[in-house]
């Protein structure tokens, strides 16, 4: 896993250099996200509460002759070289990260865009494969850029849908829409309550005295795709058994004896309670909701690992208000809340405890709510 130091990392200069002297006609960026609460609810048309973070995928785009789209990444090897008219099959493109590019190129072509030849250089400060959705930061930045360059008039919701479509074409994994919506609708110092049925997004301020801590467990996400597909199937089966389109409509009484469905129903309630507490400034209610979410993901939905449990435990021992695994599970990151003035102390205590028990190297950072995807003429 690679790490960057933050926004002042000289990326614009490196990206311009990677374009081999061509002058960029535009810059596009899209952030990753951390999900504060509401996991495995998006594909059940439930509620989620992510925050776009101050880590993003940045694209520098230059025009090129020849009807090809060529893309380089500062982090991953290889040159992606595709037909601008979208004739490449996203599932077979090499290098494999180019599948996201091929997905985006194909989707905007199907929408009616006619793309010129392009040279694109990209760089992402979202750590890949950690549950912070580097794939969506990439897919949203690309879809946003290609839609605009192809003169499509799409609103942010349509770009989110198309970016998801691009990701599904690239990976074959039928994800929910949370990550793309978060990347498009982010606001500085706000989290986003998203209703995954109506796709309504409400920005809710994070009080300045509260810190959002993200800690990578030092374990890559393994099994995540196959287990994800199984959990999704479990949820669809549970909804079908109740005669409902999705678990969004299930009540607690209906799912009392089905742990998978019970997770979804109780998690939706926790997301709404968390949003209420954040709006009302009832800060003391937030931590217990995070802890209850982790317990439900661990015991009912069974997507945690002993290491993620250890990390949550270490953060709580270090004085966090609450902590939970975030994203699909099976490795990746944990999110915690603390009083802002205690954040550094909690981080150093927790990482020391966790390292002592697991011998893994955790990677912590404080995440800030950030603006959603945008285009600019200069970096
Ligand atoms: P997550 O979205 O949780 O970070 P995924 O496995 O869904 O994890 O997405 C990671 C994939 O996204 C990488 O394997 C790669 O294909 C693509 N990706 C992420 N960051 C970059 C980057 N900087 N350059 C090229 N591709 C990237
Ligand atoms: Mg992803």
């Amino acid at each position: 896993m690679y790490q960057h130091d933050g926004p002042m990392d000289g990326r614009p200069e490196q990206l311009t250099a990677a374009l081999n002297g061509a002058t960029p006609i535009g810059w596009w960026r899209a952030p990753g996200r951390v999900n504060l609460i509401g996991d495995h609810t998006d594909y059940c048309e439930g509620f989620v509460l992510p925050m776009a973070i101050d880590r993003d995928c940045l694209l520098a785009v230059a025009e090129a002759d020849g009807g090809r789209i060529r893309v380089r990444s500062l982090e991953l090897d290889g040159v992606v070289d595709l037909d601008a008219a979208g004739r490449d099959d996203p599932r077979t493109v090499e290098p494999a990260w180019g599948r996201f590019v091929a997905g985006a190129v194909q989707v905007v072509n199907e929408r009616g865009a006619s793309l010129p030849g392009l040279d694109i250089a990209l760089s992402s400060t979202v750590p890949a494969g950690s549950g912070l959705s580097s794939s969506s930061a990439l897919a949203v930045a690309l879809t946003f850029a290609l839609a605009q360059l192809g003169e499509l008039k799409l609103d942010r919701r349509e770009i989110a849908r198309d970016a998801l479509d691009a990701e599904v074409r690239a990976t074959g994994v039928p994800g929910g829409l949370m990550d793309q919506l978060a990347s498009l609708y982010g606001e500085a110092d706000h989290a986003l309550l998203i209703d995954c049925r109506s796709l309504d997004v409400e920005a809710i301020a994070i009080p300045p005295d509260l810190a959002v801590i993200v800690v990578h467990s030092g374990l890559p996400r393994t099994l995540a795709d196959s287990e994800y597909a199984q959990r999704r199937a479990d949820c669809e089966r549970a909804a079908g058994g109740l005669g409902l389109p999705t678990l969004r409509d299930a009540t607690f009484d209906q799912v009392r004896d089905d742990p998978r469905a019970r997770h979804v129903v109780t998690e939706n309630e926790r997301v709404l309670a968390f949003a209420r507490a954040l709006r009302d400034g009832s800060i003391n209610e937030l931590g217990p909701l995070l802890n209850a979410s982790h317990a439900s993901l661990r015991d009912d939905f069974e997507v945690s690992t002993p290491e993620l449990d250890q990390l949550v435990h270490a953060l709580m021992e270090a004085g966090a208000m609450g902590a939970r695994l975030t994203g699909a599970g099976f490795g990746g990151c944990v999110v915690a809340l603390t009083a802002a003035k205690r954040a550094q102390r909690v981080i150093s205590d927790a990482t020391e405890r966790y390292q002592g028990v697991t011998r893994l190297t955790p990677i912590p950072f404080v995440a800030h709510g950030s603006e959603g995807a945008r285009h600019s003429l200069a970096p």
Side-chain angles (χ1 to χ4, degrees):
M1 202 180 86
Y2 48 83
Q3 285 292 120
H4 288 267
D5 295 333
M8 301 300 290
D9 56 8
R11 279 192 297 168
E13 295 73 23
Q14 291 176 43
L15 289 173
T16 310
L19 289 175
N20 297 321
T23 308
I25 53 168
W27 298 75
W28 281 263
R29 63 173 78 228
R33 62 96 187 100
V34 61
N35 192 20
L36 301 185
I37 191 162
D39 272 309
H40 291 279
T41 49
D42 63 346
Y43 53 78
C44 301
E45 298 191 327
F47 296 96
V48 293
L49 213 150
M51 180 178 93
I53 58 175
D54 43 339
R55 304 263 177 145
D56 61 19
C57 180
L58 176 63
L59 310 184
V61 182
E63 274 185 320
D65 296 329
R68 307 291 299 173
I69 294 184
R70 278 188 203 87
V71 191
R72 286 173 189 77
S73 162
L74 296 189
E75 289 79 29
L76 295 180
D77 288 337
V79 180
V80 177
D81 187 346
L82 303 169
D83 168 37
R87 278 184 280 259
D88 296 279
D89 174 3
R91 295 299 297 277
T92 60
V93 167
E94 293 293 340
W97 63 266
R99 294 172 192 181
F100 294 98
V101 188
V105 171
Q106 208 174 58
V107 167
V108 298
N109 269 290
E110 284 176 24
R111 282 269 197 185
S114 141
L115 293 173
L118 297 169
D119 265 326
I120 302 178
L122 68 88
S123 169
S124 182
T125 51
V126 188
S130 306
L132 301 176
S133 221
S134 69
S135 59
S136 300
L138 175 64
V140 168
L142 285 164
T143 306
F144 194 179
L146 296 178
Q148 200 168 333
L149 291 162
E151 296 181 4
L152 298 178
K153 299 266 175 292
L154 302 181
D155 64 23
R156 286 185 176 250
R157 208 181 272 187
E158 289 167 321
I159 296 172
R161 280 216 182 85
D162 285 356
L164 171 61
D165 192 355
E167 275 201 59
V168 173
R169 289 172 196 233
T171 62
V173 180
L177 199 56
M178 157 167 70
D179 303 352
Q180 297 77 13
L181 287 171
S183 184
L184 280 151
Y185 285 91
E187 284 187 27
D189 305 317
H190 284 68
L192 303 168
L193 172 64
I194 302 177
D195 177 337
C196 296
R197 171 167 278 172
S198 66
L199 304 187
D200 286 340
V201 181
E202 177 193 348
I204 306 179
I206 309 250
D209 51 355
L210 204 59
V212 176
I213 296 174
V214 179
V215 190
H216 190 279
S217 60
L219 272 187
R221 284 186 308 143
T222 48
L223 291 176
D225 286 354
S226 59
E227 293 282 347
Y228 177 93
Q230 272 183 28
R231 295 300 183 281
R232 204 174 156 132
D234 289 346
C235 291
E236 280 161 15
R237 205 173 308 116
L242 294 168
L244 299 170
T246 65
L247 286 174
R248 164 68 174 264
D249 303 305
T251 63
F252 182 77
D253 281 341
Q254 287 176 306
V255 299
R256 190 186 294 273
D257 300 321
D258 177 341
R260 299 283 191 262
R262 193 166 63 213
H263 163 73
V264 174
V265 170
T266 59
E267 185 80 347
N268 279 333
E269 288 166 4
R270 284 185 290 269
V271 173
L272 294 176
F274 192 96
R276 244 182 342 259
L278 210 48
R279 273 189 222 105
D280 299 349
S282 307
I283 299 307
N284 293 337
E285 292 174 23
L286 300 175
L289 288 165
L290 294 184
N291 294 335
S293 170
H294 184 77
S296 178
L297 287 160
R298 180 192 61 209
D299 301 334
D300 280 356
F301 218 65
E302 296 184 275
V303 294
S304 191
T305 64
E307 293 80 7
L308 291 171
D309 295 343
Q310 282 290 349
L311 188 49
V312 164
H313 182 68
L315 282 157
M316 293 309 292
E317 291 283 300
M321 294 160 62
R324 59 185 285 280
L325 74 84
T326 180
F330 301 103
C333 289
V334 160
V335 64
L337 287 178
T338 64
K341 59 178 189 295
R342 300 188 58 189
Q344 289 310 325
R345 184 66 190 278
V346 169
I347 284 177
S348 56
D349 260 33
T351 52
E352 195 176 313
R353 281 169 197 271
Y354 177 72
Q355 218 154 2
V357 177
T358 61
R359 301 284 148 206
L360 291 165
T361 307
I363 305 169
F365 67 97
V366 175
H368 301 279
S370 292
E371 217 184 321
R374 62 189 188 276
H375 164 238
S376 53
L377 293 176

